[in-house]
């Protein structure tokens, strides 16, 4: 208590600032009823004035000057008066809460009587000024309790007891979080008031009431989160777990603001959190410190706070915005800056909100800043915000495939986005081979609904379930439609690949999503081979450990699926049989998905489990030769290499000498469709000279399409990329790579510097890497969806 007594002036100043900020946020918000908004504003604004007055009374205590004489009397009067005003605002809040969310048809009499008691208490405070009934002042201008001071505590105590009794009686009508906040407000305020009677010289009662008012505001916003999807709650919980250091009021307020923002827009649940995660990842890859990454995280988390000031009908409008509506949307960075600029201890948060829509070439808004004039934190957030917008569902479109998102970022690099942070985002995309960096909540709901009713094959299908080298088990129930037999209404598995992982029948959609169907498997053993090279099925003895549906009208089924390179095995079991099907896929590059559909049946209770370990490569018996695009091709000093996916394989390391040259033939695989489906040069060190071997450190990654990536802090890279007059354009460049090109690479070592030069189809690359650490250096060939043959190493 002595510590609090000594520091109470500082505590009052901090809490008054917090209450001032919260009163402003309450005034701007549109996500609560008007009466509740007015009640909360009255509480927070009165609480701010209460602490300012109490602090002034504390500061001028004992000041015998004329100013001190007036300040002590005015401040003490406001302290006693505003305590009742805060309780009056709390009473209005309770009335609105219990009559709306609590479902009470009439206002409890105790809350009505509280109004009268508060008005009576205010009158007594006014009366006490000339009479000295509550307090007096000595010759040193110091506050002294009067014999009737106990009356001034009885009025608030009685009010709080009456309010507390109503809360206890009707608490089950409210959510657990809100009832807890109300009980804390009443309970702690009552306890503090009782202690205040026996304590002198410390404003425990006022500090407690104001602290509980701030806590109540936070719980009010959090309570609105109950209407947000369950997946959104999980994202917030994940955010809380990842940021365990968050204990301060600013951080708690940030969480509440994000919840309020997302509650305004049904299509952006989780958007702010995902942008914050992506932005902090970009900052970390850029070499920022943990403290800087945390600043980026919170600035990104609050980047859309200005949408609080945009009308709901505009934010949730599904049709095209009018010019006037778009101009209003463009004001949200300005509103965000106005809201957050008052947080003087964390000025960086307002920068992200204010400038995240500025473009690198100066064509953005609200101020049209250009290049490095745009704050760095906003340039990072702009890239992360654009990525999540494109990879998430919107009212007018589904999420874009990740490769299309990447192409959009490439096109916007240097114009809309900072090329440095765009490059880092593209690197993160390259690492995200499973497309985990995207919105997941809607996929779960849409992919596995409670029931799929299939009138015909592909009439209704589940979202595709990715099958890879980790075994997956898919559980579901199937039931025939009325009037049909089980034998005529069996479910069907569609085996396919698509950029969005969904089955498509529309030809235009198939083309846009690169849809490729391998075949279909019916649960009665019949198969249809479409794009697969071969499909073989057989029946196995029934398994005694069968998953039985509680309702025997349903057939309970289990699918066990795994893929090893270009072969996939699918086992399907029900109560009577096990069917095994081996599928020889046309290549190793495409993905493979399973979608559930059927004919005249209902499929329900879909559940997926996956092993955490990779299956043995000999687990699937071969029914066709392995797909190879290097078999029979000329072989040079190093074995030929087929790369089916992003850096899925690499040559052995070639020791770097003073002067050397590397030549090879490169050809994109038939599945390649993007500019980065080409060879890469990897400069690295490791103990055994192998990529990803012990002690592996990558100093430079050079792609022949002109992109580079310096991966290790132990090296400095200087890369020059030029397009010569012979560059044919990207479409022709990709086509010529499909036909095959001969590549030449020159490597020189000058002390600790490695120079690499190559020119292919008009793209000239000159790279200089200075390695600051000892160790043998190697160069390896890798890439994405390409075949490298006739690899020769020779002196220059």
């Amino acid at each position: 208590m002595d510590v609090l007594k000594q520091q109470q002036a500082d505590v009052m100043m901090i809490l008054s600032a917090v209450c001032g900020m919260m009163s402003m946020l309450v005034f701007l918000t549109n996500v609560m009823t008007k009466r509740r908004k007015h009640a909360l504003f009255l509480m927070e604004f009165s609480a701010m004035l209460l602490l300012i007055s109490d602090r002034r009374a504390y500061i001028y205590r004992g000041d015998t000057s004329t100013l001190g004489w007036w300040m002590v009397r005015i401040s003490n009067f406001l302290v006693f008066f505003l305590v009742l005003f805060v309780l009056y605002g709390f009473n209005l809040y309770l009335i609105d809460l219990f009559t709306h969310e609590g479902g009470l048809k009439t206002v409890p009499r105790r809350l009505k009587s509280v109004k009268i008691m508060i008005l009576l208490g205010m009158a007594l405070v006014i009366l006490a000024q000339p009479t000295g009934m509550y307090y007096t002042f000595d010759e040193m201008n110091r506050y002294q309790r009067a014999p009737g001071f106990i009356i001034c505590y009885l009025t608030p105590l009685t009010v709080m007891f009456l309010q507390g009794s109503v809360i206890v009686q009707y608490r089950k009508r409210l959510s657990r979080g809100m009832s807890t906040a109300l009980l804390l407000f009443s309970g702690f305020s009552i306890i503090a008031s009782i202690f205040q009677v026996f304590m002198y010289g410390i404003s425990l009662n006022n500090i407690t009431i104001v602290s509980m008012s701030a806590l109540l505001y936070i719980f009010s916003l959090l309570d609105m989160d109950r209407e947000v999807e369950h997946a959104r709650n999980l994202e917030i919980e994940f955010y809380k777990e990842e940021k365990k250091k968050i204990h301060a009021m600013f951080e708690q307020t940030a969480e509440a603001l994000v919840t309020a923002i997302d509650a305004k827009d049904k299509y952006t649940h989780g958007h702010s959190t995902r942008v914050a995660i992506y932005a902090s990842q970009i900052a970390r890859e850029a070499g920022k410190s943990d403290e800087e990454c945390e600043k980026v995280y919170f600035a990104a988390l609050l980047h859309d706070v200005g949408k609080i000031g945009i009308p709901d009908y505009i934010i949730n409008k599904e049709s095209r915005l009018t010019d006037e509506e778009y101009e209003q949307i463009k004001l949200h960075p300005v509103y965000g800056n106005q809201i957050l600029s008052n947080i003087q201890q964390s000025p960086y948060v307002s920068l992200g909100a204010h400038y995240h829509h500025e473009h690198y070439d100066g064509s953005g808004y609200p101020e049209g800043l250009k290049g490095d004039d745009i704050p760095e934190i906003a340039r990072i957030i702009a890239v992360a915000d654009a990525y999540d917008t494109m990879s998430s569902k919107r009212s007018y479109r589904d999420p874009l495939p990740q490769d299309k998102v990447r192409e959009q970022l490439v096109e916007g690099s240097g114009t809309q986005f900072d090329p440095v942070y765009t490059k880092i985002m593209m690197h993160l995309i390259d690492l995200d081979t499973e497309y985990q960096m995207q919105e997941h909540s809607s996929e779960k709901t849409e992919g596995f609904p409670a029931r799929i009713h299939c009138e015909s094959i592909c009439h209704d299908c589940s979202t595709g379930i990715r099958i890879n080298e980790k075994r997956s088990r898919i559980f579901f129930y199937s039931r025939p439609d009325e009037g049909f037999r089980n034998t005529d209404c069996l479910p069907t598995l569609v085996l396919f690949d698509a950029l969005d992982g969904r089955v498509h029948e529309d030809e235009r959609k198939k083309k846009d999503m690169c849809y490729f169907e391998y075949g279909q498997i019916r649960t009665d053993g019949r198969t249809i081979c479409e794009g697969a090279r071969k499909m073989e099925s057989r029946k196995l003895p029934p398994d005694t450990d069968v998953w039985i549906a509680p309702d025997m009208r349903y057939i309970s089924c289990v699918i066990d699926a795994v893929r090893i390179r270009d072969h996939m095995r699918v086992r399907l079991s029900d109560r009577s049989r096990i069917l095994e099907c081996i599928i020889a896929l046309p290549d190793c590059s495409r993905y493979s998905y399973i979608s559930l559909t059927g004919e005249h049946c209902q499929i329900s209770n879909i559940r997926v489990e996956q092993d955490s370990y990779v299956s043995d490569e000999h687990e699937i018996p071969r029914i066709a030769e392995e797909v190879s695009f290097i078999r029979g091709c000329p072989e040079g000093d190093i074995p030929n290499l087929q790369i089916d996916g992003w850096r899925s394989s690499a040559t052995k390391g070639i020791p770097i000498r003073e002067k050397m040259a590397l030549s090879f033939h490169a050809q994109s695989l038939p599945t390649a469709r993007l500019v980065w489906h080409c060879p890469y040069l990897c400069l690295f060190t490791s103990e055994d000279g192998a990529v990803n071997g012990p002690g592996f450190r990558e100093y430079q990654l050079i792609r022949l399409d002109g992109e580079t990536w310096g991966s290790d802090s132990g090296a400095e890279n200087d890369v020059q990329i030029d397009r010569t007059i012979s560059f044919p354009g990207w479409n022709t460049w990709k086509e010529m790579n499909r036909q095959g090109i001969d590549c030449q690479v020159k490597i020189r070592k000058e002390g600790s510097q490695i120079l690499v030069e190559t020119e292919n189809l008009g793209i000239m690359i000159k790279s200089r890497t200075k390695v600051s650490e000892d160790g043998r250096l190697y160069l390896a060939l890798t890439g994405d969806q390409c075949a490298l043959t006739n690899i020769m190493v020779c002196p220059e």
Side-chain angles (χ1 to χ4, degrees):
M1 285 298 175
D2 291 337
V3 176
L4 181 59
K5 188 174 182 179
Q6 295 172 3
Q7 303 295 329
Q8 65 176 328
D10 294 334
V11 173
M12 291 176 187
M13 180 179 65
I14 294 172
L15 286 177
S16 63
V18 171
C19 289
M21 182 181 69
M22 289 184 173
S23 63
M24 178 186 64
L25 296 177
V26 170
F27 181 77
L28 292 174
T29 188
N30 294 320
V31 293
M32 61 180 67
T33 64
K34 184 177 293 186
R35 289 185 178 179
R36 195 175 309 173
K37 175 180 175 179
H38 290 167
L40 266 180
F41 178 79
L42 180 63
M43 286 182 65
E44 301 300 336
F45 192 73
S46 300
M48 178 188 70
L49 296 179
L50 169 62
L51 285 186
I52 291 174
S53 301
D54 205 354
R55 187 170 183 270
R56 290 293 174 184
Y58 180 80
I59 292 173
Y60 285 97
R61 181 175 180 268
D63 187 343
T64 57
S65 66
T66 303
L67 176 63
W69 191 92
W70 282 105
M71 289 300 296
V72 168
R73 282 155 179 77
I74 294 172
S75 298
N76 278 283
F77 166 74
L78 289 175
V79 167
F80 283 87
F81 194 82
L82 289 172
V83 166
L84 295 171
F85 227 78
V86 173
L87 293 176
Y88 181 73
F90 182 59
N91 203 64
L92 294 178
Y93 184 87
L94 291 177
I95 291 173
D96 183 78
L97 189 66
F98 283 118
T99 54
H100 284 83
E101 294 186 18
L104 296 181
K105 295 182 179 180
T106 58
V107 178
R109 291 182 179 179
R110 281 163 288 176
L111 296 183
K112 291 181 179 179
S113 64
V114 162
K115 288 185 178 180
I116 299 173
M117 292 192 65
I118 289 175
L119 293 175
L120 178 61
M122 290 178 176
L124 289 175
V125 171
I126 297 172
L127 180 65
Q129 301 310 301
T131 62
M133 180 173 60
Y134 287 169
Y135 55 84
T136 60
F137 301 95
D138 61 15
E139 66 278 2
M140 296 303 295
N141 198 30
R142 290 177 298 194
Y143 167 91
Q144 301 292 333
R145 286 178 172 177
F149 84 93
I150 193 67
I151 300 174
C152 72
Y153 288 100
L154 286 177
T155 302
L157 267 174
T158 305
V159 167
M160 287 186 281
F161 271 115
L162 290 174
Q163 291 173 336
S165 66
V166 174
I167 294 169
V168 171
Q169 181 178 354
Y170 297 111
R171 68 185 185 280
K172 292 185 178 180
R173 290 175 173 266
L174 305 175
S175 66
R176 181 178 298 179
M178 182 52 65
S179 61
T180 301
L182 298 177
L183 290 171
L184 287 174
F185 183 95
S186 293
F188 277 98
S189 299
I190 291 171
I191 294 171
S193 296
I194 294 173
F195 272 96
Q196 189 72 72
V197 175
F198 304 100
M199 299 176 65
Y200 189 70
I202 182 171
S203 300
L204 181 63
N205 183 37
N206 296 341
I207 292 175
T208 302
I209 289 177
V210 171
S211 299
M212 293 301 104
S213 298
L215 188 65
L216 180 64
Y217 167 73
I218 294 172
F219 271 90
S220 297
L221 287 181
L222 291 175
D223 186 57
M224 290 184 290
D225 191 45
R226 71 183 188 276
E227 298 178 0
V228 182
E229 297 179 19
H230 179 61
R232 172 61 190 151
N233 294 331
L234 293 177
E235 286 188 44
I236 295 176
E237 187 63 27
F238 173 77
Y239 159 67
K240 291 180 180 179
E241 289 296 323
E242 288 295 309
K243 297 292 176 182
K244 291 182 179 179
K245 297 180 181 178
I246 301 178
H247 298 294
M249 182 64 67
F250 160 71
E251 293 151 352
Q252 295 176 12
T253 305
E255 284 184 29
L257 283 172
V258 169
T259 303
I261 296 164
D262 283 354
K264 286 177 68 71
D265 190 346
K266 62 185 179 181
Y267 289 105
T268 60
H269 294 156
H271 169 71
S272 298
T273 302
R274 290 192 300 274
V275 171
I277 292 172
Y278 303 153
S280 63
Q281 288 176 339
I282 294 172
R284 187 165 288 106
E285 288 290 341
K288 304 296 182 184
S289 66
D290 290 343
E291 182 180 356
E292 290 172 319
C293 292
E294 187 172 272
K295 288 182 178 180
V296 171
Y297 182 93
F298 284 110
L301 192 68
L302 296 171
H303 77 284
D304 269 345
V305 70
K307 288 185 177 179
I308 289 177
I310 304 299
D312 291 354
Y313 80 91
I314 294 180
I315 290 179
N316 290 304
K317 186 176 181 180
E318 298 191 2
S319 59
R320 185 180 180 87
L321 296 177
T322 64
D323 292 342
E324 292 77 12
E325 290 168 341
Y326 182 63
E327 289 301 317
Q328 288 195 57
I329 284 287
K330 289 171 66 175
L331 290 175
H332 83 269
V334 178
Y335 295 152
N337 180 56
Q338 292 172 353
I339 293 171
L340 300 176
S341 60
N342 291 308
I343 308 176
Q344 297 179 0
Q345 293 180 344
S346 304
Y348 56 87
V349 295
S350 64
L351 295 177
H354 196 189
Y355 299 112
H356 70 280
H357 279 295
E358 298 287 358
H359 290 178
Y360 198 72
D361 62 359
S363 62
Y365 62 88
E367 297 184 7
L369 299 184
K370 182 178 181 180
D372 292 343
D373 292 339
I374 306 170
E376 183 182 39
I377 202 167
R379 283 179 272 145
I380 294 173
I381 294 170
V383 175
D385 184 36
Y387 175 85
D388 186 70
T389 299
M390 289 186 285
S391 62
S392 302
K393 182 178 177 61
R394 289 293 181 265
S395 60
Y396 50 88
R397 60 157 175 80
D398 289 331
L400 297 180
Q402 197 175 33
D403 62 342
K404 292 187 179 294
V405 175
R406 194 184 191 284
E407 286 188 335
Q408 291 293 318
L409 290 175
V410 171
E411 291 180 7
S413 179
T415 54
Q416 183 175 351
F417 311 117
D418 185 323
V420 173
Y421 299 117
T422 307
K423 181 179 177 181
I424 294 175
M425 188 72 241
M426 290 189 292
H427 177 67
L428 293 175
I429 293 173
D430 291 340
L431 296 177
D432 183 30
T433 57
E434 300 290 332
Y435 201 2
Q436 293 299 308
M437 294 194 305
Q438 64 168 322
E439 181 183 27
H440 289 289
S441 58
S442 62
E443 291 179 357
K444 184 173 181 181
T445 302
E446 294 176 8
F448 304 124
R451 179 174 285 103
I452 298 174
H453 183 207
C454 309
E455 296 179 1
S456 59
I457 302 297
C458 296
H459 166 259
D460 197 1
C461 301
S462 72
T463 299
I465 301 159
R466 173 85 182 278
I467 306 301
N468 54 27
E469 64 274 10
K470 297 178 181 179
R471 284 177 56 188
S472 296
R473 279 168 289 281
I474 307 166
F475 304 84
F476 65 94
Y477 296 148
S478 173
R479 178 183 179 180
D481 289 342
E482 294 293 336
F484 292 90
R485 297 179 303 171
N486 281 348
T487 54
D488 297 327
C489 308
L490 295 177
T492 297
L493 312 183
V494 181
L495 314 179
F496 69 99
D497 177 36
L499 294 178
D500 61 350
R502 296 177 182 272
V503 174
H504 296 287
E505 292 191 286
D506 180 75
E507 291 301 324
R508 181 176 179 181
K509 198 72 172 177
K510 285 183 177 181
K511 182 178 180 181
D512 290 343
M513 294 294 110
C514 299
Y515 181 77
F516 186 90
E517 188 169 313
Y518 301 122
Q520 299 178 6
I521 306 173
R522 281 176 58 99
T523 50
D524 61 358
R526 286 181 284 173
T527 61
I528 300 175
C529 185
E530 295 282 357
R533 290 183 291 156
K534 190 176 183 182
M535 296 177 68
E536 289 185 359
S537 60
R538 60 171 181 157
K539 293 183 179 180
L540 302 177
D543 193 342
T544 55
D545 184 16
V546 179
W547 186 58
I548 303 297
D551 188 341
M552 297 305 293
R553 292 173 298 174
Y554 286 84
I555 300 174
S556 58
C557 301
V558 183
I559 299 170
D560 185 314
V562 66
R563 172 177 175 171
I564 305 295
R565 293 188 59 78
D566 61 349
H567 273 56
M568 183 164 61
R569 185 193 67 200
V570 178
R571 286 178 180 165
L572 193 148
S573 60
D574 58 19
R575 291 196 297 265
S576 60
R577 59 186 173 270
I578 297 179
L579 172 69
E580 179 181 83
C581 185
I582 307 296
I583 304 99
L585 304 175
D587 53 67
C588 301
S589 301
R590 290 186 178 93
Y591 286 176
S592 51
Y593 295 90
I594 289 180
S595 176
L596 301 178
T597 183
E599 190 173 12
H600 301 301
C601 65
Q602 297 179 24
I603 299 173
S604 60
N605 296 80
I606 304 171
R607 179 166 57 90
V608 180
E609 295 178 357
Q610 187 179 56
D611 290 343
S612 58
Y613 56 88
V614 175
S615 301
D616 185 86
E617 62 180 9
H618 302 297
E619 187 166 335
I620 303 177
R622 282 200 162 273
I623 60 173
E625 267 190 347
E626 182 172 4
V627 176
S628 175
F629 297 96
I630 59 176
R631 188 183 296 117
C633 296
E635 189 168 294
D637 301 326
I638 295 175
N640 295 340
L641 183 69
Q642 179 172 314
I643 311 162
D644 296 306
W646 186 78
R647 302 187 69 178
S648 59
S649 56
T651 65
K652 66 179 183 180
I654 305 167
I656 300 293
R657 299 195 293 266
E658 287 190 2
K659 287 186 178 182
M660 57 185 293
L662 189 65
S663 65
F664 57 91
H665 183 79
Q667 184 173 10
S668 298
L669 301 185
T671 53
R673 63 184 185 281
L674 304 170
V675 294
W676 58 86
H677 291 160
C678 64
Y680 305 168
L681 305 172
C682 174
L683 180 63
F684 70 99
T685 183
S686 69
E687 296 174 11
D688 60 357
V691 174
N692 296 322
F696 174 76
R697 298 186 68 176
E698 184 174 273
Y699 296 124
Q700 177 70 299
L701 182 70
I702 303 172
R703 294 185 352 196
L704 295 196
D705 66 341
E707 282 195 28
T708 62
W709 181 256
S711 305
D712 196 277
S713 58
E716 296 178 7
N717 293 292
D718 181 18
V719 183
Q720 181 180 346
I721 310 293
D722 292 314
R723 296 180 191 173
T724 68
I725 194 171
S726 61
F727 177 66
W730 284 119
N731 288 334
T732 304
W733 191 90
K734 289 189 291 184
E735 182 59 34
M736 294 177 73
N737 271 274
R738 291 191 192 98
Q739 297 173 6
I741 61 173
D742 292 319
C743 302
Q744 299 283 337
V745 182
K746 294 180 181 180
I747 304 105
R748 283 187 299 155
K749 183 178 181 183
E750 298 177 353
S752 61
Q753 298 189 68
I754 308 300
L755 285 73
V756 179
E757 294 185 14
T758 182
E759 181 179 352
N760 301 283
L761 299 178
I763 297 179
M764 180 179 291
I765 303 171
K766 293 182 179 181
S767 170
R768 181 184 296 269
T769 301
K770 184 177 181 180
V771 181
S772 58
E773 300 171 348
D774 295 332
R776 193 165 191 182
L777 300 177
Y778 299 90
L779 186 73
L781 291 174
T782 181
D784 190 358
Q785 296 197 37
C786 60
L788 309 180
T789 58
N790 198 23
I791 305 171
M792 304 292 291
V793 183
C794 58
E796 186 178 352

